Amino acid sequence: MIRSKLPEKSKSALAEIKKIAAGSSDCIDLAAAVPGLDIPQQLKNGIAKHLQNGTSQYVPVEGLGQLREKIAGYLDRVHGYKYDPVSEITVTAGASEAVWAAITAIIHEDDEVIIIEPSHENYVPAVRINGGTPIYVTLKHPNYRVDWNEVIRMINQRTKMIIINSPHTPSGMVYTDDDYRNLQKIVVGNKITVLADETFSFLTFGKPFVSITKFPALAKQSIMVASLSKAFNATGWKTGVCCAPADITTEIRRMHNYICNGSNSTFQYAVSELLQNNPEILEKIRDAYQTKRDLVCKLMANSKYKLIPSEGSWFQLVDYSEISTESDTDFCLRLAKDYGVAAFPMSTYYHDKTKTNVIRICFARPDEVLRKGVERLLKVK
């Protein structure tokens, strides 16, 4: 009998929701985090061209040089921080691999990592498998803001990392300048590394995205992770970005080399060309998703559901407390079984399965799917 390093969690209800959504042609899936927009035609053309040109072999493990230069230029232009594309930027096999490589590089046995919940499911397993201990701080409902005084109380000599995520999955909350100033007071001068997961940095609504790189002193103690494949609706071409000071990058690249030995080459060539020829394309994608978020908000206005403002990402949180006192998993099961619409229970984003009356829906869907899905949600009694 093999003793698992990542024991299976109790997730029968969530598994059943996914099974219903996947197995029924009539169930509208607003749960899965899959984009409903196609990848840009210009990117499709670029991928096809570079495949024909024979770009299917390895590129350097740290990523295609010309792409890293484009990324450095973009970050300098948009956020005003200059990374050295040679020694401080690494192209990874998606943002998830970047997170694992970063945690593996920094965390040793008995180190503590502050994780702000609700949190992406990727963080805790990476911490635990490297011998670290997750320390949890809960965002304050209903606006999902960080209590920085609580973060301070959790810090001790064993604290080696704080993981932040903006735009936040799954709440859609976006960190503010004040958040980063508070974080900077905590870590600068201490031996704490910040892992800033900015996977959805290309998707903020109504206000500009604030990156950790806006604060140079903070950036010098931080690892910033982003996603190129998500940015272009191409999740199957998993390609991420990991930016950090050179000494940290050296360690991350050592881990990255053994985890996957590099990211796919064809997509790197195609994205590099796309960013060169059409740098405004990310703004068009963002506008398209903002329209979808606004559509969901309009369709659910004047209902008994309470929408928690989504400032970024593909996700909209919905409070159903005026409709039912069921747990979020039971409510989502009933949605899938009785109404033919799948949503995601927020409790799964907490280590102790904190009871919530909030569900997550993904609005990265064709408009007709969103209309049908919301129509079914509005029928719930």
Side-chain angles (χ1 to χ4, degrees):
M1 186 73 172
I2 296 175
R3 182 164 64 93
S4 176
K5 289 187 176 181
L6 295 174
E8 190 76 8
K9 296 178 181 178
S10 175
K11 54 181 181 181
S12 56
L14 183 58
E16 189 171 352
I17 293 166
K18 291 180 178 179
K19 184 177 179 181
I20 294 170
S24 171
S25 59
D26 187 49
C27 187
I28 296 174
D29 187 359
L30 300 183
V34 180
L37 294 180
D38 199 1
I39 69 174
Q41 186 60 50
Q42 195 174 350
L43 181 55
K44 283 185 180 180
N45 295 342
I47 291 171
K49 182 184 78 173
H50 287 289
L51 278 173
Q52 290 295 327
N53 290 344
T55 59
S56 298
Q57 306 307 323
Y58 290 130
V59 292
V61 68
E62 64 270 19
L64 188 67
Q66 64 199 55
L67 176 57
R68 286 182 284 128
E69 290 176 4
K70 299 291 190 309
I71 294 166
Y74 174 85
L75 293 173
D76 185 14
R77 184 174 69 255
V78 175
H79 302 305
Y81 190 83
K82 294 183 178 181
Y83 284 105
D84 182 344
V86 174
S87 63
E88 297 184 322
I89 296 177
T90 306
V91 181
T92 61
S96 294
E97 191 257 320
V99 166
W100 273 74
I103 292 173
T104 304
I106 300 298
I107 301 306
H108 294 76
E109 192 78 24
D110 297 326
D111 286 344
E112 292 186 357
V113 178
I114 293 177
I115 294 176
I116 299 173
E117 288 191 313
S119 68
H120 192 279
E121 62 185 7
N122 204 24
Y123 306 152
V124 173
V127 170
R128 289 197 182 280
I129 208 166
N130 284 287
T133 301
I135 304 297
Y136 301 98
V137 172
T138 303
L139 293 174
K140 302 307 175 188
H141 189 70
N143 295 321
Y144 293 90
R145 305 308 311 184
V146 181
D147 181 342
W148 292 105
N149 288 325
E150 185 176 351
V151 174
I152 291 171
R153 288 194 294 271
M154 296 297 175
I155 290 175
N156 58 53
Q157 291 183 340
R158 292 171 59 189
T159 306
K160 291 297 184 292
M161 178 179 282
I162 300 173
I163 301 178
I164 65 171
N165 177 206
S166 178
H168 181 256
T169 298
S171 73
M173 174 271 287
V174 174
Y175 279 52
T176 65
D177 283 13
D178 283 344
D179 285 317
Y180 289 115
R181 291 188 188 102
N182 281 310
L183 179 60
Q184 187 165 261
K185 290 176 184 177
I186 292 170
V187 303
V188 173
N190 292 321
K191 294 180 180 180
I192 298 174
T193 301
V194 177
L195 175 54
D197 183 349
E198 299 184 0
T199 294
F200 282 103
S201 59
F202 59 95
L203 272 188
T204 57
F205 312 126
K207 61 181 182 180
F209 172 68
V210 181
S211 172
I212 200 167
T213 59
K214 181 179 179 181
F215 299 84
L218 193 53
K220 290 176 182 177
Q221 285 184 230
S222 300
I223 302 163
M224 189 275 283
V225 168
S227 175
L228 291 171
S229 45
K230 273 194 172 71
F232 295 107
N233 301 315
T235 55
W237 287 88
K238 290 184 71 66
T239 306
V241 178
C242 189
C243 303
D247 57 338
I248 297 177
T249 293
T250 296
E251 292 302 311
I252 290 173
R253 286 180 178 176
R254 286 174 179 168
M255 305 305 140
H256 168 63
N257 182 47
Y258 290 109
I259 291 172
C260 69
N261 197 29
S263 179
N264 71 83
S265 56
T266 302
F267 191 76
Q268 291 190 52
Y269 280 103
V271 168
S272 177
E273 187 174 75
L274 181 62
L275 291 174
Q276 174 70 33
N277 297 332
N278 191 357
E280 298 83 18
I281 193 166
L282 288 174
E283 295 177 13
K284 296 178 182 177
I285 293 173
R286 179 201 62 208
D287 292 345
Y289 278 116
Q290 180 164 350
T291 299
K292 291 182 178 296
R293 184 210 59 171
D294 293 346
L295 173 62
V296 169
C297 292
K298 180 180 178 181
L299 293 172
M300 299 188 78
N302 304 317
S303 72
K304 289 187 177 181
Y305 293 105
K306 298 175 187 175
L307 300 187
I308 297 165
S310 175
E311 300 172 332
S313 80
W314 292 335
F315 307 118
Q316 174 65 58
L317 296 191
V318 180
D319 183 324
Y320 62 86
S321 56
E322 290 189 15
I323 296 174
S324 173
T325 59
E326 296 166 279
S327 70
D328 56 5
T329 52
D330 288 342
F331 186 70
C332 285
L333 277 170
R334 186 158 67 91
L335 288 179
K337 290 178 178 177
D338 298 347
Y339 294 91
V341 57
F344 207 93
M346 276 291 287
S347 60
T348 60
Y349 284 102
Y350 295 85
H351 74 285
D352 57 359
K353 300 297 179 284
T354 297
K355 182 180 179 181
T356 80
N357 50 20
V358 179
I359 61 175
R360 186 206 80 185
I361 60 176
C362 179
F363 54 77
R365 299 285 184 276
D367 288 358
E368 62 271 20
V369 173
L370 292 175
R371 292 180 187 278
K372 290 178 182 178
V374 172
E375 181 182 353
R376 295 184 183 186
L377 285 173
L378 296 178
K379 292 178 180 178
V380 178
K381 299 179 181 178

